[in-house]
Amino acid sequence: MERVVVLQGMEKVEKSENDNICRKKTRIADDIMYILIYLSAGLAVALLIGILGYVFMRGISQVNWSFLTSVTSVLQGTTGIAGNILNTIYVIVLTLLVAAPVGIGSAIYLNEYAKPGKFIKIIQFTTETLAGIPSIIFGLFGMVFFGNTLGFGYSLLTGSLTLAIMVLPLITRNTQEALKTVPDSYRSGALGMGATKWYMIRTILLPSALPGIVTGVILAIGRIVGESAALLFTAGSGFLLPRTAQGYLTKVLESGGTLTIQLYLSMSKGQYDIAFGIAVVLLVIVLAINFLTKVLAGKLDVNKQK
């Protein structure tokens, strides 16, 4: 009987505590913070919708098949950005060919081979500093070093090498963070079974970290597409299409303006309709890159697939 009474007493105490918690009034400060948080989120969404809506409203009428497949010519009476689109593709491919192997290799060394010490701290500090340098300074350096010293002049190659230095910290840091998410049990298990370190990295770590690596590379593409200041000093503003097959091979050594450069030049000339049309194309590319990032990251996630 005493035990039953004790249990009943404990139940009454628990019920009374739960009732007190449920009846406890929410503080006014919490309500105010919730309102401010929702207002901040709503403001961010409203700004995005406002920018997208305004740009599309001003520029969507300019975008058509002729605008995307021809170049601007006074003699032929055409206005187009085909040459700028081609230049943008050249810059993306050349930049990634240089930056992706170096960035991923640096991350593998820093995360898997290097021993903690002053040297590693210096490398990490250098990487973080590179990420914070204004792009126009990269443009000045690229113009002097790649353009004048190495003799590449105003060319797509000069612009691509400059952008490779710019996006290198982004790829390196994303790859490092992706490698850190791989559990240490994967490493110890593979090494315990007799696998070499490089075999373990190549067959276990890199496939497991692939979603994060791909995300870093695609984000780097987004920065390449949106860059203008550095390319203005290094790549020039050419917009013509090559006339021969050999011209496509030698184009990397010629001046070439990307979509952002052409956007800047159109605005400076007062050609606002063309500028907004280019802006629409750039926004579509950026949105497609973000969408592609989420899709690939989900499909390449080995842990989720398992």
Side-chain angles (χ1 to χ4, degrees):
M1 290 294 293
E2 292 180 357
R3 187 175 180 181
V4 174
V5 172
V6 172
L7 292 175
Q8 289 178 351
M10 292 177 63
E11 290 178 358
K12 290 180 179 179
V13 171
E14 290 179 357
K15 288 182 179 180
S16 62
E17 289 179 353
N18 292 332
D19 292 339
N20 291 333
I21 293 174
C22 294
R23 293 176 182 176
K24 186 178 180 180
K25 294 182 179 180
T26 305
R27 290 182 297 180
I28 299 177
D30 293 338
D31 292 335
I32 295 174
M33 289 304 300
Y34 275 119
I35 293 172
L36 291 176
I37 290 171
Y38 282 113
L39 285 177
S40 300
L43 179 61
V45 174
L47 286 174
L48 176 62
I49 295 175
I51 293 173
L52 292 177
Y54 182 76
V55 172
F56 272 85
M57 183 180 64
R58 290 287 304 270
I60 193 64
S61 60
Q62 186 69 29
V63 180
N64 50 47
W65 183 249
S66 176
F67 184 70
L68 297 175
T69 58
S70 63
V71 296
T72 301
S73 174
V74 178
L75 297 177
Q76 298 180 0
T78 58
T79 301
I81 56 173
N84 303 111
I85 294 175
L86 180 64
N87 294 335
T88 303
I89 295 173
Y90 267 102
V91 170
I92 292 172
V93 173
L94 291 174
T95 302
L96 292 182
L97 284 177
V98 177
V102 176
I104 296 173
S106 301
I108 293 173
Y109 169 75
L110 292 173
N111 204 69
E112 304 298 329
Y113 287 97
K115 297 180 179 179
K118 292 184 179 180
F119 180 67
I120 301 303
K121 291 182 179 179
I122 292 174
I123 295 178
Q124 291 177 347
F125 176 76
T126 304
T127 303
E128 293 172 357
T129 304
L130 278 175
I133 294 177
S135 59
I136 196 167
I137 296 179
F138 282 104
L140 290 173
F141 171 79
M143 179 185 65
V144 173
F145 182 72
F146 297 116
N148 298 336
T149 305
L150 298 184
F152 295 142
Y154 283 98
S155 64
L156 294 173
L157 181 60
T158 302
S160 300
L161 293 174
T162 304
L163 291 184
I165 301 175
M166 289 182 58
V167 301
L168 187 61
L170 179 62
I171 297 176
T172 302
R173 293 298 297 173
N174 274 275
T175 304
Q176 274 189 280
E177 295 302 322
L179 291 172
K180 289 178 181 178
T181 60
V182 181
D184 290 334
S185 58
Y186 288 16
R187 297 174 175 84
S188 58
L191 296 175
M193 294 177 64
T196 61
K197 192 163 188 175
W198 171 240
Y199 184 84
M200 177 266 295
I201 293 173
R202 181 165 50 88
T203 59
I204 297 177
L205 293 190
L206 289 181
S208 299
L210 193 58
I213 297 173
V214 172
T215 300
V217 172
I218 295 178
L219 291 176
I221 294 175
R223 184 170 183 185
I224 294 168
V225 171
E227 185 54 45
S228 58
L231 292 175
L232 194 61
F233 290 107
T234 55
S237 58
F239 59 88
L240 297 178
L241 291 170
R243 296 183 178 180
T244 62
Q246 185 178 1
Y248 284 92
L249 298 176
T250 59
K251 188 173 178 59
V252 295
L253 298 176
E254 299 175 359
S255 172
T258 59
L259 289 170
T260 52
I261 297 297
Q262 188 59 41
L263 173 61
Y264 166 77
L265 294 176
S266 298
M267 286 294 293
S268 63
K269 297 176 182 178
Q271 300 172 343
Y272 299 113
D273 292 337
I274 298 176
F276 276 103
I278 299 173
V280 169
V281 176
L282 282 171
L283 284 177
V284 171
I285 293 174
V286 171
L287 291 174
I289 289 173
N290 286 309
F291 178 76
L292 184 63
T293 302
K294 293 185 178 295
V295 172
L296 288 179
K299 288 186 176 181
L300 295 175
D301 196 339
V302 178
N303 297 324
K304 288 184 178 181
Q305 291 178 1
K306 290 180 179 180

